[in-house]
Amino acid sequence: MAGGGGSPRSAPGRLLRIVVAAVAAAGLGALDGVRAEEEQHSVDLVEKNYVYGNPKHEVSVYVKVFTNSPFLLCTDLAHSREELIDPNYLWIGPDGRNLEGQLHVNLTETGKLMLLGFKEYMSGAYTCTLSHKIIETTTQEEREMFEAYKFMVYAYREADHAYQVFVRFTTRECELRANGQFFEELLKILTNIISDLTCHITESSYKCHSVKIPNRGLLHELFVSFQVNPFAPGWEEVCKQVPYDCEDVTNMRVQEARDRIGEFFKKQTYALKHEFQTVPTIHYVENSFSVTHIDSCRPGFGKNDVTHQSCANCCVVCEPGTYSPNNEVTCQVCTDPQVRMYGARFC
């Protein structure tokens, strides 16, 4: 490549290598640890780790896969503050069976239900019937009272994150053969910066455009775009070290990869100002680095900010009659009446 102050073919490559050394010297390392607490979502009244029922309508509860649900209370807030005589609680699961004695539940004598190690197939309607007595003070007459509560419980996952990156470089002309060589070298260096995070660069491309800039005339610029993706070869092995779902780990790693790449381009500007007496033919356009966040969901999950308003950013399990076969963001409608399960991946 042509450029002032050195070998005509080495200046942009030297610039990139200088910045790589600067980034490496910063000691950016792989992330360790994950979030200690998992957030639970619900539509109605939640107090600490309890979700109250509502006799007027069903209550939606969202539970992250492989975690325990909050306690679902077989009562509403008003009844919880009253004295109940001979209370009895009957919990029925989505399959229509009594939940008492089942291994995947923690059911207390006061009607509190916790679902253990929640998985997508456990999603559905959980209903509880509260019965208790009212005794007339004067006649001691007993009356049996009943109240029913319905909870719609959905498994969800965190969305998988990726980042679309856009960056620009000034070049001497669009037909310059060195443009393609520069692009390939750039991708190799960026890949090396993030390789220890099991992230990689995908969907990379560049295109040369003529750009009229005020007070500078017509310039030629390379418009470079690529995605930073957390699923480089070997990511499954990293996830095997995690005793639960892996989105937290992959998302933190790809965020670290994004930050490293941002630091790389930030140091490009510094190197141009301090390492070169003459600006190389192909060089970074200051402040041209931009990032767009991209979400995707695992098969069997999707987003729906209308149906699941209180968990709009979650990848919620596909409901019966819908499915998701890939990493798209939404569940698709299935016309096959046989597909009546949660988390369907095919129709």
Side-chain angles (χ1 to χ4, degrees):
M1 300 177 193
S7 169
R9 292 185 179 273
S10 63
R14 175 170 166 252
L15 171 59
L16 292 172
R17 283 189 287 274
I18 287 172
V19 177
V20 170
V23 173
L28 296 171
L31 295 179
D32 54 355
V34 295
R35 285 188 298 183
E37 296 182 359
E38 306 299 349
E39 184 179 8
Q40 307 291 351
H41 306 261
S42 68
V43 168
D44 281 73
L45 185 61
V46 181
E47 194 170 286
K48 293 183 179 179
N49 200 34
Y50 302 123
V51 181
Y52 286 93
N54 191 314
K56 297 181 180 179
H57 60 78
E58 65 187 35
V59 176
S60 295
V61 181
Y62 299 88
V63 184
K64 191 170 183 178
V65 290
F66 305 119
T67 68
N68 299 336
S69 76
F71 272 112
L72 311 182
L73 304 187
C74 189
T75 185
D76 53 77
L77 185 59
H79 276 97
S80 71
R81 296 171 176 172
E82 297 175 348
E83 178 184 78
L84 296 179
I85 300 174
D86 294 337
N88 185 64
Y89 309 93
L90 175 63
W91 277 99
I92 302 298
D95 58 2
R97 294 191 299 172
N98 190 334
L99 292 176
E100 187 173 0
Q102 296 198 28
L103 296 178
H104 66 283
V105 304
N106 176 10
L107 187 56
T108 73
E109 62 180 7
T110 55
K112 300 174 184 176
L113 172 68
M114 176 181 285
L115 304 166
L116 307 177
F118 202 78
K119 298 180 179 62
E120 51 261 54
Y121 72 85
M122 296 165 63
S123 301
Y126 289 79
T127 60
C128 180
T129 302
L130 164 64
S131 63
H132 64 97
K133 294 178 181 178
I134 293 179
I135 301 178
E136 295 290 342
T137 304
T138 55
T139 65
Q140 294 297 296
E141 179 184 353
E142 298 181 3
R143 286 188 297 131
E144 190 102 31
M145 304 297 294
F146 297 90
E147 200 72 70
Y149 304 97
K150 182 178 181 180
F151 299 84
M152 289 301 302
V153 187
Y154 302 97
Y156 81 93
R157 293 177 179 267
E158 299 290 350
D160 289 311
H161 300 330
Y163 296 95
Q164 183 73 45
V165 177
F166 301 93
V167 65
R168 290 158 65 175
F169 289 85
T170 296
T171 185
R172 187 174 63 196
E173 58 186 60
C174 285
E175 291 74 23
L176 192 66
R177 181 182 299 178
N179 291 341
Q181 298 170 351
F182 178 86
F183 176 69
E184 294 302 323
E185 185 170 4
L186 174 65
L187 295 182
K188 289 177 183 178
I189 292 172
L190 294 176
T191 297
N192 184 61
I193 289 174
I194 64 175
S195 60
D196 64 304
L197 299 172
T198 60
C199 296
H200 62 162
I201 306 297
T202 64
E203 301 186 27
S204 57
S205 66
Y206 81 94
K207 192 172 183 179
C208 189
H209 295 277
S210 299
V211 182
K212 184 180 181 299
I213 298 177
N215 303 320
R216 294 185 62 188
L218 193 66
L219 299 179
H220 302 288
E221 292 188 358
L222 304 179
F223 286 57
V224 176
S225 68
F226 56 88
Q227 281 192 20
V228 185
N229 186 289
F231 303 117
W235 75 272
E236 297 96 336
E237 293 302 317
V238 174
C239 284
K240 287 180 181 178
Q241 303 170 23
V242 182
Y244 51 88
D245 203 37
C246 195
E247 281 93 343
D248 286 339
V249 174
T250 56
N251 285 341
M252 293 178 75
R253 285 175 177 270
V254 76
Q255 182 174 332
E256 171 71 5
R258 177 206 64 186
D259 292 345
R260 290 188 191 183
I261 291 173
E263 183 70 12
F264 169 81
F265 286 111
K266 180 180 178 181
K267 291 182 181 292
Q268 287 277 323
T269 299
Y270 178 88
L272 279 169
K273 293 179 179 179
H274 298 279
E275 301 289 345
F276 287 86
Q277 293 181 349
T278 303
V279 175
T281 299
I282 303 177
H283 62 273
Y284 171 64
V285 176
E286 187 173 357
N287 297 323
S288 67
F289 174 78
S290 65
V291 178
T292 302
H293 177 264
I294 301 173
D295 277 351
S296 61
C297 296
R298 300 288 175 91
F301 292 80
K303 288 186 175 186
N304 189 323
D305 57 6
V306 176
T307 304
H308 303 295
Q309 294 183 3
S310 63
C311 205
N313 292 323
C314 309
C315 290
V316 181
V317 64
C318 294
E319 297 187 53
T322 66
Y323 73 107
S324 177
N326 48 35
N327 294 91
E328 296 295 331
V329 184
T330 58
C331 298
Q332 305 173 34
V333 175
C334 179
T335 57
D336 186 349
Q338 300 299 318
V339 180
R340 305 305 301 170
M341 60 181 288
Y342 282 91
R345 302 183 183 187
F346 56 86
C347 177

